[in-house]
Amino acid sequence: MSRLSETDTAKPLRGRAAAVGLTRAQVVEAAIAQIDAKGLSAFSLRELARSLGVSPAVIYWHVGGSKEDLFAAIAATITGGLAAAQDPQAPWTERLKQVFHAYRAAVHRHPNISPLLGAQMKSNGVANLDWIETVLAALHDGGFEGAALRDAFNALIGGLCGFVTMELAPAPASEDGSWENRISQRMAEVDAEAYPLTQAALPQLANRIFVLRWQNGADVSYDESFAVLLDILIGGIAVRAATLSHKEPAHG
Amino acid sequence: MSRLSETDTAKPLRGRAAAVGLTRAQVVEAAIAQIDAKGLSAFSLRELARSLGVSPAVIYWHVGGSKEDLFAAIAATITGGLAAAQDPQAPWTERLKQVFHAYRAAVHRHPNISPLLGAQMKSNGVANLDWIETVLAALHDGGFEGAALRDAFNALIGGLCGFVTMELAPAPASEDGSWENRISQRMAEVDAEAYPLTQAALPQLANRIFVLRWQNGADVSYDESFAVLLDILIGGIAVRAATLSHKEPAHG
DNA sequence: GCATCAATTGAACAGTGTTCAATTGAAAAT
DNA sequence: ATTTTCAATTGAACACTGTTCAATTGATGC
């Protein structure tokens, strides 16, 4: 039998609980710390238990039936309280920008956990519901309803959260060395007979890639690219909102 | 020692190769088929070997040093030949639409493999280089250079590929039943004292979610939402291209 | 002092990725 | 015709994983 309640009960504890008292929240926090430190692929329930000085079964008792449940709890912890990051007085387009900047900032605080958040976005745990509500409310203020609301919502969530998922996706461990080495190696691999056009374009392509700094290095930032994406999306949605109100004047 | 070459050699085989002759391509295809059939989380190298009637070590010999390498090969196979899906005569904005629709279609043919593609997007294997080149060439025709090119490229790739990654992300296995059950259960879980506003908003929110059909069921499609996102993005980028050419008239 | 029961234990099961010294057997060399 | 070569495969082994479960602990309420 496992602890069922999501929130830690403040009720008086009995039995061994009062003495040792490992909390569900402590387990989740330790898991987050461990993933932050050593990466998601190096994370295991057994090592988590080891680092807590505890038997692996304890994790299950505190967190639920499976590793997925722990991941869900982690995602809920990280994206919790995100709706508070908006100014209720601001116009709806501005509120959307604030909320999505807050989402990106929250995920960037735990880049190694990013893959989990993308997957957990569909679970709609309670912790996420309020910030989903925030997005929906802003779009509602913009006049969106029905299919138009669905598309605007999906475009925003999918495009922006997807961007963050992509930018933080772990680059595969480089086989032998630097980015330059890998690119020139790839270039050498291209079969000139089968793909003459690609072969001809490759030097130019390599230059472009260097310009773009499409790599996972230390000095690379996607901040400006995200701002551009956010601007384009909110702008396009505002335009659609305007045409919507022209076509359907004040339904309901 | 493992087979190093990416492409299967057409050179005459010696030794046992000619008799049994399991190909690297065959291994990759079998892996794709298995992930398509049983899902990514149920996939293992051992069962892949089992289904091929072969020892697990064979996979390593054919595909390289680790499971990651197999995943890279799978991603390359699926996104290979994507650049061909464009009409060179069309204007650059239209070419971008064609290419990204082709990307989405290719990933939708293997929804279970989608998580791999998002991660593997940063590896820039040769198979992907040509369609990345396609995107870059279209943007170049639109007049983008330097930081503006980087941002337009990142916004497109991140937003659109991210959208596809998000829409195909596997929803966590529903604990007890239908979507409606889960939503009403979540609603019951919300602490009315701690979150009175959220509690009050939940019925409306639930309605909205039902309208949006934000679920992973059979009859749900993100086709229109993706089209909306694509329209907004390409439109916004076209606008930026126009302002670019005003500011920097024909540099170079 | 006793029963309760939240919290923990330790052992076990089935399965995983990965490595490696052996082995096969047809093609090439002699 | 025999030997050598070596691509391809094997089977066993190692260290590890997620998960389950019957036991055990020990402070609290009775």
Side-chain angles (χ1 to χ4, degrees):
Chain A
M1 193 163 297
S2 72
R3 160 178 279 174
L4 288 179
S5 62
E6 289 255 336
T7 60
D8 283 308
T9 57
K11 292 302 179 79
L13 296 177
R14 306 196 318 173
R16 212 182 187 186
V20 187
L22 185 60
T23 317
R24 182 190 144 103
Q26 283 174 1
V27 172
V28 173
E29 259 179 63
I32 292 178
Q34 194 154 320
I35 299 179
D36 280 345
K38 313 219 170 182
L40 186 61
S41 59
F43 172 78
S44 79
L45 292 187
R46 291 187 109 105
E47 191 163 315
L48 172 61
R50 227 171 282 138
S51 84
L52 286 168
V54 130
S55 163
V58 172
I59 312 294
Y60 289 89
W61 192 90
H62 275 286
V63 105
S66 78
K67 200 180 179 183
E68 295 282 320
D69 295 306
L70 175 59
F71 284 166
I74 290 174
T77 298
I78 290 182
T79 64
L82 221 54
Q86 64 162 354
D87 172 20
Q89 312 292 344
W92 63 274
T93 52
E94 209 55 39
R95 271 174 9 231
L96 283 177
K97 286 191 185 182
Q98 292 165 356
V99 160
F100 279 105
H101 265 128
Y103 172 82
R104 181 165 183 259
V107 182
H108 270 250
R109 255 172 254 131
H110 306 275
N112 291 340
I113 305 183
S114 168
L116 291 188
L117 299 183
Q120 227 70 37
M121 214 58 184
K122 289 194 174 175
S123 84
N124 287 320
V126 199
N128 299 333
L129 280 186
D130 53 348
W131 95 268
I132 286 181
E133 166 74 9
T134 296
V135 175
L136 289 167
L139 290 174
H140 186 78
D141 289 354
F144 285 94
E145 279 180 357
L149 176 61
R150 157 178 41 82
D151 292 335
F153 180 79
N154 285 340
L156 281 176
I157 296 279
L160 294 170
C161 300
F163 180 98
V164 177
T165 301
M166 296 283 297
E167 73 170 323
L168 291 180
S174 57
E175 306 98 20
D176 53 352
S178 70
W179 173 259
E180 286 83 359
N181 286 346
R182 286 172 57 204
I183 279 289
S184 51
Q185 179 184 337
R186 303 284 187 195
M187 289 175 59
E189 278 173 3
V190 170
D191 184 353
E193 294 187 19
Y195 304 102
L197 298 178
T198 302
Q199 174 78 12
L202 267 178
Q204 197 183 5
L205 172 59
N207 275 337
R208 286 177 182 171
I209 288 187
F210 289 144
V211 168
L212 295 173
R213 316 226 286 198
W214 178 267
Q215 71 189 75
N216 209 17
D219 59 341
V220 175
S221 162
Y222 291 88
D223 291 356
E224 296 179 27
S225 297
F226 180 78
V228 166
L229 174 63
L230 187 54
D231 270 3
I232 291 178
L233 269 180
I234 304 290
I237 282 185
V239 169
R240 295 202 163 226
T243 61
L244 263 186
S245 61
H246 282 181
K247 283 183 180 174
E248 302 177 5
H251 142 58
Chain B
M1 195 163 297
S2 71
R3 161 180 279 175
L4 289 179
S5 62
E6 290 256 333
T7 61
D8 283 309
T9 56
K11 292 303 180 79
L13 297 176
R14 307 194 318 172
R16 212 183 189 186
V20 188
L22 185 58
T23 317
R24 180 189 146 103
Q26 284 175 2
V27 172
V28 174
E29 261 179 62
I32 291 178
Q34 194 153 321
I35 298 179
D36 280 346
K38 314 219 171 184
L40 186 61
S41 60
F43 171 78
S44 78
L45 292 186
R46 291 187 108 105
E47 191 163 315
L48 173 60
R50 226 172 285 139
S51 83
L52 287 168
V54 128
S55 164
V58 171
I59 311 294
Y60 289 88
W61 193 89
H62 275 286
V63 106
S66 79
K67 202 180 179 184
E68 295 282 321
D69 294 306
L70 176 58
F71 284 166
I74 290 175
T77 299
I78 290 182
T79 62
L82 221 53
Q86 64 162 355
D87 173 20
Q89 312 293 344
W92 63 273
T93 53
E94 209 56 39
R95 277 184 351 241
L96 282 177
K97 286 192 184 182
Q98 291 165 355
V99 160
F100 279 104
H101 265 129
Y103 172 80
R104 181 166 183 260
V107 181
H108 270 250
R109 255 171 255 133
H110 306 276
N112 291 340
I113 305 183
S114 167
L116 292 188
L117 299 183
Q120 227 70 39
M121 214 60 183
K122 289 194 173 174
S123 85
N124 287 319
V126 199
N128 298 332
L129 280 186
D130 52 349
W131 96 267
I132 286 181
E133 166 73 9
T134 296
V135 175
L136 289 167
L139 290 175
H140 186 76
D141 289 354
F144 285 94
E145 279 180 355
L149 175 61
R150 155 177 47 79
D151 292 334
F153 180 80
N154 285 339
L156 281 175
I157 296 278
L160 294 170
C161 300
F163 180 99
V164 177
T165 301
M166 295 283 297
E167 74 170 321
L168 291 180
S174 58
E175 307 96 21
D176 53 353
S178 69
W179 173 260
E180 286 84 359
N181 287 348
R182 286 172 57 203
I183 279 289
S184 50
Q185 180 182 337
R186 303 283 189 197
M187 287 173 60
E189 277 174 4
V190 172
D191 184 354
E193 295 186 19
Y195 304 102
L197 298 178
T198 302
Q199 173 77 10
L202 266 178
Q204 195 182 5
L205 173 59
N207 275 337
R208 287 177 183 171
I209 287 187
F210 290 143
V211 169
L212 295 172
R213 316 226 284 197
W214 178 266
Q215 71 190 78
N216 210 19
D219 60 340
V220 175
S221 161
Y222 291 89
D223 290 358
E224 297 178 26
S225 296
F226 179 78
V228 166
L229 174 63
L230 188 53
D231 270 5
I232 291 178
L233 269 181
I234 303 290
I237 283 186
V239 168
R240 294 197 166 231
T243 61
L244 264 187
S245 62
H246 282 182
K247 283 183 182 173
E248 303 177 5
H251 142 58

